[in-house]
Amino acid sequence: MSEIRSINYELSENILKNEILQKKSNGTYLFYGNKNVDLYEHAIDFAMSINCLGDKNYRCGKCRNCVNIKKAVYPDLHLYNANDGFGIDKVREIIQNASRNSYEGYKKIFIIENIQLLQKESSNAMLKIIEEPPQNTFFILTTRNMNIIKTIKSRSIIINFYPKTYEMLGVSKEVYEFFDGNTADIEKISNIDYDYTTNLSYNDINIYIENYIETENIVEKANIIKCIKDFIRNIDRISEFEKVILAEKIEKAAEIKTSKKNKIEKENESIEKNNLIKRDNSLKNTRLFLLEILNLYVINLKNIDKTEKLLDIKNTIHANVNISTLLYIFFLNI
């Protein structure tokens, strides 16, 4: 299968529009982009386009199919994330679901995020189904890097998404750099009158972490970033003891609030029986949330000499390591 690489955001969109115009009955796509690209959002948009009931040959965003896919409650939309573990049993489940008739009579869509995390055994088991998807079946794979087995790449149409520029997002260069070009965050805060000029103390980060987990409000995330920037500014004056105390505060805030949020969401799940498909929220899991926080520290540190080591430490969070120990080691190495 031929590989398609885009050179900017607009071209990526045009390539996908052309794919829709060809009215294909099946296909496998590999969406690739850096941390500033919301690959899940692109995958959902493409899924909407594939099953849109409108007459414009691209997603209308208003028809029943588009609305349900956007809400992730469309019965023929199957969501998976390799972050959550992806063994042979999961592959068998996908193959079975792909072989069944669609519920709605339209096309079945399988979105598999972070395909780069698949083990070789699972990747090999996926090859047959993604090489020749059943009729009216589409696979959309997403990855942050191309360190995946060659056969998956060769069997996919690859779309390389580049982040939007600050001009495209309609924000200042300062706001763009504040969020390190994170498109999703910038779009969320673009209509909010947020004061970027004031500073917040790095010692108060636990307060904003608790608020962010509870509300998922972008303003609270911006406050977290301010605290991190304050930490970086004062890093030469912060003792090792203070770093350990900070690590403890961050862990405690994340554990208490994510545990409380998990309990509430589990209670809500028993009530929301109509939600057949729900996308996992990273804030449900303490480890994944802490991974997001540590990423922000690495991004704002901008120290090439330390980045590689900090990334190695951060990535051990996927293993069953002690969170306290991991945080201590991370902050003592900043």
Side-chain angles (χ1 to χ4, degrees):
M1 190 172 291
S2 60
E3 177 176 323
I4 299 176
R5 285 200 172 271
S6 63
I7 57 174
N8 56 41
Y9 176 82
E10 292 92 341
L11 185 54
S12 300
E13 287 289 293
N14 289 335
I15 290 170
L16 292 178
K17 286 179 181 178
N18 288 333
E19 288 293 306
I20 296 299
L21 289 173
Q22 293 179 47
K23 299 187 182 301
K24 294 182 177 180
S25 61
N26 58 12
T28 297
Y29 297 82
L30 178 60
F31 286 9
Y32 166 60
N34 68 21
K35 59 183 172 55
N36 293 330
V37 178
D38 192 338
L39 293 174
Y40 173 79
E41 194 69 24
H42 283 299
I44 286 293
D45 285 348
F46 189 45
M48 289 164 60
S49 298
I50 291 171
N51 273 329
C52 182
L53 300 174
D55 56 2
K56 294 184 178 180
N57 293 317
Y58 207 53
R59 62 182 180 275
C60 68
K62 299 177 181 178
C63 70
R64 183 183 74 251
N65 286 0
C66 280
V67 171
N68 287 339
I69 290 173
K70 189 72 173 179
K71 292 180 179 178
V73 295
Y74 186 71
D76 289 316
L77 175 66
H78 304 267
L79 304 177
Y80 297 90
N81 194 326
N83 256 334
D84 305 324
F86 208 96
I88 293 298
D89 289 343
K90 192 73 70 176
V91 175
R92 292 196 186 104
E93 176 187 314
I94 290 173
I95 293 173
Q96 288 178 351
N97 287 333
S99 302
R100 293 171 180 157
N101 292 329
S102 67
Y103 291 98
E104 294 282 330
Y106 298 100
K107 296 177 176 67
K108 302 186 294 292
I109 312 290
F110 292 80
I111 296 176
I112 306 175
E113 297 182 79
N114 296 302
I115 197 75
Q116 77 277 5
L117 298 179
L118 259 65
Q119 298 297 317
K120 187 175 181 180
E121 185 181 14
S122 298
S123 297
N124 288 333
M126 286 282 296
L127 291 179
K128 180 65 176 177
I129 193 73
I130 67 172
E131 182 180 19
E132 297 179 13
Q135 284 290 98
N136 298 318
T137 303
F138 288 80
F139 285 90
I140 306 173
L141 319 175
T142 75
T143 182
R144 292 298 179 192
N145 64 66
M146 297 304 286
N147 186 25
I148 55 181
I149 64 173
K150 293 180 180 179
T151 40
I152 284 185
K153 289 187 281 189
S154 66
R155 286 160 170 76
S156 306
I157 295 175
I158 301 176
I159 310 293
N160 189 357
F161 287 94
Y162 283 78
K164 296 178 181 179
T165 64
Y166 67 88
E167 294 96 341
M168 293 172 65
L169 292 168
V171 298
S172 68
K173 188 176 181 180
E174 289 72 25
V175 172
Y176 190 85
E177 291 177 347
F178 179 88
F179 287 101
D180 195 48
N182 188 312
T183 301
D185 288 345
I186 293 170
E187 288 179 336
K188 287 176 185 176
I189 207 167
S190 59
N191 294 321
I192 298 174
D193 186 18
Y194 183 77
D195 185 0
Y196 294 91
T197 61
T198 59
N199 296 323
L200 295 175
S201 170
Y202 68 87
N203 269 318
D204 294 331
I205 192 170
N206 56 306
I207 298 172
Y208 303 110
I209 285 176
E210 291 180 10
N211 292 342
Y212 180 48
I213 293 174
E214 190 165 328
T215 66
E216 297 185 33
N217 190 316
I218 187 59
V219 169
E220 300 300 342
K221 184 173 183 179
N223 290 336
I224 290 172
I225 294 173
K226 277 188 177 182
C227 292
I228 291 173
K229 289 182 181 295
D230 183 62
F231 176 86
I232 302 302
R233 279 193 299 270
N234 293 283
I235 195 166
D236 293 334
R237 297 194 293 271
I238 300 174
S239 68
E240 289 190 350
F241 176 75
E242 289 175 300
K243 290 179 181 179
V244 170
I245 295 299
L246 182 63
E248 290 176 349
K249 290 169 71 173
I250 290 173
E251 180 188 7
K252 185 176 180 181
E255 282 188 340
I256 291 174
K257 285 298 180 178
T258 50
S259 297
K260 180 180 178 182
K261 189 176 181 69
N262 285 344
K263 183 178 179 181
I264 293 172
E265 289 181 346
K266 284 180 181 178
E267 291 172 353
N268 289 340
E269 281 178 10
S270 63
I271 297 171
E272 297 174 0
K273 293 181 180 179
N274 291 329
N275 285 354
L276 300 177
I277 304 169
K278 296 178 72 69
R279 186 187 182 215
D280 286 338
N281 189 326
S282 64
L283 297 184
K284 292 179 182 178
N285 185 283
T286 302
R287 288 178 181 269
L288 290 179
F289 177 71
L290 287 173
L291 185 64
E292 181 181 357
I293 296 298
L294 297 185
N295 271 332
L296 290 174
Y297 274 97
V298 175
I299 289 168
N300 284 277
L301 183 62
K302 292 182 170 60
N303 185 321
I304 297 175
D305 294 333
K306 292 185 176 182
T307 295
E308 186 174 352
K309 185 172 185 179
L310 289 174
L311 287 174
D312 287 341
I313 296 170
K314 172 185 70 69
N315 289 334
T316 61
I317 205 166
H318 292 298
N320 291 322
V321 297
N322 181 276
I323 291 179
S324 298
T325 303
L326 183 149
L327 289 173
Y328 294 158
I329 295 173
F330 181 88
F331 279 98
L332 290 175
N333 278 276
I334 290 183

